[in-house]
Amino acid sequence: MSQKLVIVESPAKMKTIKKFLGSTYDVAASMGHVRDLPKSTMGVDCKNGFEPKYITIRGKGDLIADLKKAVKKSDMIYLATDPDREGEAISWHLMAALGLDEKDKNVKRITFNEITEKAVKEAIKKPRRLDMDLVDAQQARRVMDRVVGYSISPLLWEKIKKGLSAGRVQSATLNILCKREEEIAAFIPEEYWTIDATMKNGAKEAKASYYGERNGEAVKKTQLKNEAEATSVVEDVKGKEMLVSEVKKTERVKNPPLPFTTSTMQQDSSRLLNISTYNTMRIAQKLYEDGLITYLRTDSVRISDDAMAMAKSFIEKTYGEAYVSNKGNGGKAGQNVQDAHEAIRPTHIENTPESVKDKLGRDEYRLYSLIWNRFVASRMTPAVYDVTNVRLEREGHVFNASGSQVKFKGYLAVYKSKDDDEEKQDLSFLHEGDNVIFAKIQKNQHFTEPPAHYTEASLVKEMEELGIGRPSTYAPTITTLLARHYIAKEKKNLFVTELGTAVNDLMRNSFPDIADPKFTAKMEEDLDEVAEGKMDWRKLLEEFYPGLEKELEEAKTTLTKVKVADEVSDVPCDKCGRMMVIKYGPHGKFLACPGFPECRNTKPLLEKTGDKCPDCGADVIKRRTKKGRAFYTCENEKCEWISWNRPKKS
């Protein structure tokens, strides 16, 4: 009996697939890449066609030996790595490491977008050859990023600080964050005033707000610039009858969301679940390998006909025919979409979140629920609102009131994000020609707000809109910026550190193309051209490298050393009295005396979480073990409360 070998990346994926295939199949895992560029040198011959010098990854020797033995026992080899450029490259490297011939009829490439029995068996029935255009696109990205990183990073070590790094996508993203910081710093607030009023009719009440002024037939929206203007309006209407000049009733239709792409999944996971982009991808990877969701790296919103039919049947049975959408299978989320696979969705809609809850961890359950609900909602009818807009007038002053109620829930029966309106006030007691008196009226001073700091969710959205990176790069890019301490995260907001500003200034001045988001987006378009077989990957590098080489030589001779000051804390050194500074170590921030080497005093940085101790009510402090694991204690030294977990919100 012939034996067949299926090679995947991970042990989890291997275990899931083994359940679907019979005894004639052996399934093995490569544990990711088996070959890569060396860490100690650039590993790219820039003078001879940018030839990469791949080596076996350290520690993979025994694994490759075992795979070779499995290959010898098998009559057919199926390379079943992920269905994207990275997966194609892993298969290519596996062929090289295992001595497999690309032209051998017994060596096949198979892909599937979900780890289900049906998908795996159908993939085996439809094998193909290795797609070298996809391999070349991955090689081009890997080589380009290696050349950029290994060329510029040593310059950063020399001119700023050791341990720093520069990257193509990383530098452009840092520049976006720095520009936002500059906008915030340059912002000059402007004063303005609003007027809020409450009107009552028996037990019913509704709120209205000042809108503007009437001039003949026209009503002009007006901003009150100071207290005198606001006071004048209040005095004119306070205690006096307001005419209900218009009651306008309309119906508003709100369409359901599209199913998740990688970007939108990361955004909603961050906004709604407070899970970082890195952890979102880690959790989603496990859900994929366990066969619960389709492939997690995608910028397509397309879904298969089978998935549409599956959703239609479930929605009709659970919610009724009126909730079933008849729209098509979706389009593309934007330009340059790699539409090789579907949107992110559950593999089997019958696997409701509650039915699999016992098999999942807390965050796995929360993310799976989000994906499941979003997919089901995407196949449902729109929500319908009854909307009422009321206009009230007195002596030319115009106030508006608006209200809405859900007429038909539609997709809201399943999925509601922070963008979905809650039910608003009932204005049914107001009719045209009525006269009402404001029971309360209040003027409020405001100042215009600067642009908001980026969060992980808004940064991912910005990266996607600008075309920087691809679905697989968003989370690693943000993680690297945080790890290098170029940015810091407080609550959900991302702030640029002094170190990040220094690195960005150097990149902007000496390597303007690398720091330019538009240039990086153009490089992504070129990589797409390589993937489609329309451009040679070496030509892409030949056009890019000379400019980088010239900028590098100029920077080496013109740049002076930059000193980045440490952030000074409010904690005095208990040995010498100097104010301690904040330093970064392998396990995060700590306090150190600036008098080093005369004074070598260090101590942990007490990082307040914003929580209160469940025993005494004092502030909770986040600390770390020597191995970096977080734990929590009470700021009150007399309190003995300690936990591996943050206290639950009451």
Side-chain angles (χ1 to χ4, degrees):
M1 186 180 290
S2 63
Q3 191 69 19
K4 305 174 184 69
L5 174 66
V6 179
I7 303 178
V8 297
E9 295 104 322
S10 73
K13 195 173 176 181
M14 176 184 74
K15 289 176 184 176
T16 306
I17 291 174
K18 269 186 176 179
K19 299 174 186 176
F20 308 143
L21 303 176
S23 58
T24 58
Y25 287 87
D26 186 20
V27 186
S30 70
M31 309 296 289
H33 275 281
V34 293
R35 296 199 312 166
D36 197 6
L37 299 171
K39 289 185 177 181
S40 57
T41 62
M42 183 181 289
V44 178
D45 190 346
C46 297
K47 303 300 182 184
N48 294 291
F50 300 93
E51 187 66 29
K53 300 174 183 177
Y54 294 115
I55 62 169
T56 300
I57 295 173
R58 182 176 293 179
K60 289 292 182 81
D62 290 343
L63 184 145
I64 291 173
D66 290 341
L67 287 175
K68 284 182 176 179
K69 291 176 184 176
V71 165
K72 286 182 180 179
K73 296 177 185 176
S74 305
D75 304 303
M76 181 69 73
I77 315 296
Y78 294 101
L79 301 172
T81 50
D82 285 343
D84 56 13
R85 298 174 192 177
E86 200 70 27
E88 207 73 17
I90 291 175
S91 284
W92 181 67
H93 285 299
L94 275 168
M95 292 182 74
L98 301 177
L100 301 175
D101 188 348
E102 187 183 333
K103 297 177 182 178
D104 189 341
K105 294 180 181 180
N106 295 323
V107 179
K108 303 289 186 181
R109 172 80 168 111
I110 61 171
T111 59
F112 34 82
N113 293 315
E114 58 187 65
I115 305 176
T116 60
E117 185 171 357
K118 180 181 177 183
V120 172
K121 288 184 175 179
E122 284 186 354
I124 289 174
K125 291 177 185 177
K126 300 175 183 178
R128 61 170 172 82
R129 308 307 306 170
L130 203 66
D131 188 333
M132 285 307 299
D133 290 333
L134 293 180
V135 173
D136 287 346
Q138 191 276 343
Q139 279 202 100
R141 178 187 292 278
R142 186 77 183 95
V143 170
M144 184 182 295
D145 290 346
R146 174 56 69 98
V147 168
V148 169
Y150 275 58
S151 297
I152 300 177
S153 295
L155 184 70
L156 297 180
W157 305 343
E158 179 186 341
K159 303 300 182 182
I160 301 179
K161 183 182 178 183
K162 284 204 172 175
L164 304 183
S165 69
R168 190 175 54 87
V169 177
Q170 170 190 316
S171 297
T173 305
L174 178 61
N175 196 10
I176 291 170
L177 288 158
C178 286
K179 284 181 178 178
R180 176 58 58 88
E181 293 282 3
E182 291 161 6
E183 290 171 6
I184 293 170
F187 181 80
I188 300 174
E190 294 182 5
E191 180 184 12
Y192 70 97
W193 288 70
T194 59
I195 303 172
D196 297 318
T198 303
M199 46 195 162
K200 288 187 176 181
N201 182 3
K204 293 183 177 181
E205 70 172 45
K207 298 184 183 301
S209 57
Y210 174 75
Y211 178 79
E213 300 295 317
R214 177 176 288 282
N215 184 4
E217 294 296 317
V219 174
K220 182 181 179 182
K221 184 174 175 62
T222 307
Q223 183 166 292
L224 303 170
K225 297 179 180 178
N226 52 56
E227 186 175 11
E229 291 182 359
T231 301
S232 175
V233 174
V234 170
E235 292 300 321
D236 285 345
V237 302
K238 188 176 182 180
K240 299 173 183 176
E241 289 187 337
M242 302 289 296
L243 172 67
V244 179
S245 61
E246 182 182 278
V247 176
K248 188 176 180 181
K249 295 185 177 182
T250 57
E251 189 177 87
R252 182 165 67 91
V253 175
K254 187 171 179 64
N255 289 320
L258 294 169
F260 277 137
T261 61
T262 304
S263 167
T264 54
M265 177 184 69
Q266 290 175 341
Q267 291 173 48
D268 267 22
S269 178
S270 175
R271 292 188 308 124
L272 303 177
L273 307 181
N274 199 26
I275 299 177
S276 70
T277 53
Y278 172 81
N279 282 331
T280 296
M281 295 302 286
R282 178 182 57 79
I283 296 164
Q285 180 71 31
K286 186 175 186 306
L287 294 174
Y288 166 67
E289 291 175 349
D290 288 344
L292 286 172
I293 65 170
T294 54
Y295 192 54
L296 62 150
R297 295 176 182 87
T298 175
D299 41 16
S300 171
V301 294
R302 178 180 62 81
I303 59 175
S304 69
D305 291 341
D306 285 349
M308 286 175 59
M310 174 178 69
K312 180 179 179 180
S313 175
F314 179 87
I315 294 166
E316 187 173 334
K317 180 180 177 182
T318 309
Y319 299 97
E321 190 176 348
Y323 286 83
V324 178
S325 171
N326 293 315
K327 66 181 181 181
N329 70 350
K332 295 183 178 181
Q335 294 181 340
N336 303 323
V337 175
Q338 299 167 26
D339 202 33
H341 29 79
E342 294 183 63
I344 302 169
R345 61 168 176 82
T347 54
H348 296 293
I349 204 165
E350 295 81 8
N351 287 333
T352 63
E354 290 305 314
S355 71
V356 297
K357 185 175 183 179
D358 292 343
K359 302 174 184 176
L360 303 176
R362 176 177 177 270
D363 284 344
E364 290 167 8
Y365 167 72
R366 294 167 71 215
L367 183 60
Y368 180 70
S369 298
L370 195 68
I371 294 168
W372 190 93
N373 290 338
R374 175 85 167 217
F375 171 66
V376 174
S378 75
R379 302 307 310 158
M380 296 176 76
T381 47
V384 181
Y385 294 83
D386 280 330
V387 180
T388 304
N389 290 297
V390 176
R391 177 159 287 173
L392 305 105
E393 302 187 37
R394 171 81 189 190
E395 297 184 10
H397 303 308
V398 178
F399 282 68
N400 280 353
S402 63
S404 64
Q405 284 78 40
V406 174
K407 182 178 181 180
F408 178 71
K409 282 190 173 183
Y411 77 91
L412 292 177
V414 175
Y415 184 88
K416 183 179 285 189
S417 75
K418 289 183 178 179
D419 299 326
D420 290 309
D421 295 335
E422 299 290 338
E423 289 194 21
K424 294 184 179 177
Q425 59 187 350
D426 179 10
L427 301 177
S428 61
F429 67 93
L430 295 172
H431 306 90
E432 284 188 17
D434 286 353
N435 286 292
V436 297
I437 295 176
F438 290 146
K440 295 179 183 177
I441 187 164
Q442 184 176 356
K443 59 189 179 184
N444 303 292
Q445 184 186 35
H446 306 273
F447 293 92
T448 53
E449 296 285 341
H453 281 92
Y454 281 110
T455 62
E456 288 196 36
S458 60
L459 182 58
V460 166
K461 184 178 181 181
E462 184 77 358
M463 291 170 72
E464 182 182 39
E465 289 178 352
L466 293 175
I468 298 174
R470 279 294 177 260
S472 59
T473 63
Y474 302 143
T477 298
I478 295 172
T479 301
T480 299
L481 291 173
L482 287 165
R484 295 283 183 268
H485 307 300
Y486 295 168
I487 62 175
K489 185 176 177 181
E490 294 182 16
K491 295 185 177 179
K492 287 190 176 184
N493 293 327
L494 300 175
F495 297 84
V496 179
T497 64
E498 281 195 58
L499 179 60
T501 300
V503 171
N504 187 61
D505 287 345
L506 185 150
M507 294 299 298
R508 274 187 194 171
N509 294 329
S510 298
F511 306 96
D513 282 346
I514 302 297
D516 183 4
K518 291 181 180 178
F519 178 83
T520 302
K522 175 62 170 61
M523 296 303 296
E524 294 295 347
E525 292 175 5
D526 290 342
L527 288 168
D528 288 343
E529 295 273 296
V530 175
E532 293 166 11
K534 298 177 182 177
M535 180 184 291
D536 180 79
W537 73 275
R538 295 177 194 272
K539 181 182 177 183
L540 175 61
L541 285 153
E542 286 167 2
E543 293 174 354
F544 163 77
Y545 183 69
L548 173 65
E549 192 175 33
K550 182 180 178 182
E551 289 173 343
L552 190 63
E553 290 305 313
E554 187 175 335
K556 286 178 179 177
T557 56
T558 59
L559 288 178
T560 56
K561 190 168 180 63
V562 178
K563 182 170 178 60
V564 180
D566 291 315
E567 183 182 348
V568 181
S569 76
D570 57 358
V571 180
C573 175
D574 47 19
K575 291 187 177 180
C576 70
R578 296 181 177 92
M579 299 307 292
M580 302 189 85
V581 296
I582 297 173
K583 296 278 189 180
Y584 294 92
H587 307 309
K589 298 178 182 179
F590 66 96
L591 293 173
C593 181
F596 183 88
E598 294 85 7
C599 180
R600 298 173 177 266
N601 188 27
T602 63
K603 60 172 62 178
L605 177 66
L606 299 183
E607 183 182 342
K608 294 185 180 182
T609 66
D611 303 307
K612 297 298 180 182
C613 172
D615 287 356
C616 73
D619 289 332
V620 170
I621 302 298
K622 182 178 180 180
R623 303 177 186 269
R624 291 190 182 276
T625 66
K626 289 183 178 181
K627 292 186 177 181
R629 184 179 176 185
F631 67 99
Y632 302 88
T633 65
C634 181
E635 185 181 35
N636 180 1
E637 293 181 0
K638 295 181 180 179
C639 179
E640 297 181 354
W641 180 83
I642 184 171
S643 175
W644 289 113
N645 302 307
R646 287 178 64 173
K648 293 181 179 179
K649 301 287 185 183
S650 58

